[in-house]
Amino acid sequence: MRAEAQNNVEKIRKSLDLLAQRLGHETAQHRLEEFNARVEDPDLWNDPAAAQKLMRDRQGLVDAMEAYNSLKQELEDQVELIELGEAEDDEEVVAEAETALRGLVDRAAKKELEALLDGETDGNDAFLEIKSGAGGTEACDWAQMLARMYVRWAEKRGFEVELQEETPGTEAGIKSATYQIKGKNAYGWLKSESGTHRLVRISPFGKGTRETSFAAVGAYPVIDDNIEIEVNPADIRIDTYRSSGAGGQHVNTTDSAVRITHAPTGIVVTSSEKSQHQNRDIAMKALKSRLYQLELDRRNAQVNALHEAKGDAGWGNQIRSYVLQPYQMVKDLRTQHETADTQGVLDGDLDPFMASTLAMQVSGKSRAEAGAQD
């Protein structure tokens, strides 16, 4: 088998390994049989909500099993065709099978990403917080660059972006901003971005020196009505005030705001909308999403470690470095994924970084490490 074809076969097998792990392949058939038995229960629809959830879960399992089995069978078929073509010295058969393998690599990669976004709240909308860290005015400018980057990323995906709060920097940029990102799997994608982001560049503020700046990013799922989060009214303080901030072509912003402070955790959330009623409703949803995230962190040690890795926005806590001087490089320090296309990344080309981190969260190792194992 030629080198390119062998390389494609290995890529597909790695995708299949991840799909099998995410699916729980060894127990999938048994779980499907259990689902089928419960579906046949005549009392199932006495509880419509529970019945609908059961049917969704069953269909999700069926779809995942079919996707895995289809990819696995097609890989085996194409490998067999190549071996047959090589044995009979039939170049046309070999070439057709190699072309089919190239297409299968893309299909497997897409299914791999879909499998990574099947967490309890991955499909939900997201709240995205950006805060400037160490670096003064430079850091405020960097926070604004990050805000632009994420808005561009969301717009490319057709997501709706709403600015909930923005605090301008003293001289330039922003001290903080909170967005609500609305779209399928918005949180599933953005959850990998929580952490400290480090920028190295020549100062644009007349200094002419190379400066290092930091900003912290946090992503939290918007909690829907299917998940109940209780908030004791005695634990919160609600303040109203006026604020303003720059919007954008697809970013809504208004002049009023509500701030809710949750005393037991110290969580503070804000919202700016057209009415006090909307403000309170959105801010409460934001608070519940943060409280839900804390609960997820307690239940899942791996998610907790990633969440805590955000730490203070300064040296030693960064998850990704963006170097503009003396060379061009964006590198994720968790997965080692990197690119020299810094402008593309700052314009919102973040999918490869997100996908690499999602894969690491599932497998427990980076894609670079996985790729080094034969």
Side-chain angles (χ1 to χ4, degrees):
M1 187 180 295
R2 287 190 280 244
E4 181 190 0
Q6 185 61 49
N7 185 46
N8 286 335
V9 168
E10 292 304 316
K11 288 181 180 178
I12 297 166
R13 284 175 177 164
K14 284 184 172 62
S15 292
L16 285 170
D17 286 345
L18 188 143
L19 287 171
Q21 181 180 2
R22 200 62 169 167
L23 170 63
H25 186 260
E26 294 181 357
T27 63
Q29 185 59 44
H30 176 68
R31 283 182 283 128
L32 179 58
E33 292 171 358
E34 290 182 339
F35 273 130
N36 290 338
R38 293 170 64 187
V39 167
E40 294 174 359
D41 184 349
D43 296 327
L44 173 66
W45 289 96
N46 290 344
D47 185 344
Q52 290 174 0
K53 183 179 185 304
L54 173 65
M55 298 302 288
R56 285 196 303 270
D57 291 345
R58 178 188 177 280
Q59 189 60 47
L61 177 60
V62 169
D63 292 345
M65 291 175 65
E66 290 180 350
Y68 174 83
N69 292 330
S70 175
L71 288 171
K72 186 173 184 291
Q73 185 61 55
E74 187 166 347
L75 173 62
E76 293 173 355
D77 291 345
Q78 300 308 325
V79 169
E80 184 177 345
L81 281 174
I82 289 176
E83 292 173 347
L84 179 62
E86 290 176 339
E88 297 183 355
D89 198 23
D90 191 333
E91 180 60 29
E92 184 176 351
V93 169
V94 172
E96 288 180 357
E98 289 178 341
T99 299
L101 277 179
R102 295 187 196 101
L104 196 58
V105 168
D106 293 336
R107 283 178 50 201
K110 290 178 181 178
K111 290 298 180 182
E112 181 179 332
L113 287 181
E114 290 176 6
L116 295 173
L117 296 170
D118 68 348
E120 184 177 17
T121 56
D122 282 354
N124 292 22
D125 298 339
F127 289 110
L128 183 71
E129 295 182 348
I130 302 166
K131 296 181 179 180
S132 62
T137 299
E138 298 278 352
C140 289
D141 186 58
W142 172 223
Q144 189 168 52
M145 291 171 64
L146 282 176
R148 174 187 177 276
M149 180 181 76
Y150 287 114
V151 169
R152 288 288 184 91
W153 171 83
E155 289 174 351
K156 288 180 179 181
R157 288 190 157 268
F159 291 168
E160 181 182 351
V161 181
E162 292 184 357
L163 180 63
Q164 303 296 313
E165 176 273 335
E166 184 178 276
T167 302
T170 304
E171 299 179 20
I174 58 173
K175 291 182 179 179
S176 67
T178 302
Y179 295 90
Q180 183 172 354
I181 313 295
K182 298 181 179 181
K184 183 180 180 181
N185 292 326
Y187 173 67
W189 284 106
L190 286 168
K191 68 182 181 182
S192 65
E193 295 300 293
S194 290
T196 298
H197 297 244
R198 169 177 172 257
L199 173 70
V200 179
R201 61 173 173 173
I202 299 297
S203 173
F205 299 101
K207 300 177 183 179
T209 57
R210 192 171 67 183
E211 300 288 338
T212 299
S213 308
F214 299 90
V217 173
Y220 310 94
V222 175
I223 304 306
D224 55 33
D225 294 335
N226 294 325
I227 301 176
E228 294 184 2
I229 302 293
E230 294 186 3
V231 177
N232 186 344
D235 290 339
I236 62 174
R237 186 182 77 245
I238 301 177
D239 300 309
T240 60
Y241 64 99
R242 298 184 66 82
S243 69
S244 62
Q249 183 178 0
H250 300 291
V251 181
N252 299 322
T253 182
T254 56
D255 293 329
S256 61
V258 164
R259 179 189 294 114
I260 297 180
T261 303
H262 186 250
T265 62
I267 292 174
V268 178
V269 294
T270 59
S271 174
S272 297
E273 264 298 341
K274 296 180 179 179
S275 72
Q276 291 297 321
H277 176 74
Q278 288 177 308
N279 287 339
R280 291 183 182 230
D281 182 58
I282 293 173
M284 282 300 297
K285 286 182 179 179
L287 174 60
K288 289 182 178 181
S289 75
R290 293 286 300 274
L291 293 174
Y292 178 76
Q293 183 68 45
L294 288 179
E295 179 60 26
L296 285 182
D297 291 347
R298 295 188 189 98
R299 294 186 308 187
N300 188 318
Q302 184 179 28
V303 174
N304 187 44
L306 291 170
H307 180 72
E308 291 182 346
K310 182 173 64 173
D312 294 330
W315 287 103
N317 297 305
Q318 59 266 23
I319 63 168
R320 189 177 302 149
S321 289
Y322 305 70
V323 180
L324 306 185
Q325 289 289 341
Y327 55 88
Q328 302 275 316
M329 182 66 68
V330 179
K331 182 174 183 178
D332 195 289
L333 305 180
R334 301 161 297 180
T335 65
Q336 307 306 308
H337 181 80
E338 61 183 41
T339 179
D341 183 15
T342 56
Q343 190 57 53
V345 172
L346 293 174
D347 283 338
D349 294 337
L350 295 169
D351 283 3
F353 287 94
M354 294 177 174
S356 183
T357 307
L358 287 169
M360 181 188 70
Q361 291 173 6
V362 173
S363 65
K365 56 181 176 290
S366 71
R367 297 299 282 163
E369 292 171 329
Q373 298 178 356
D374 294 327

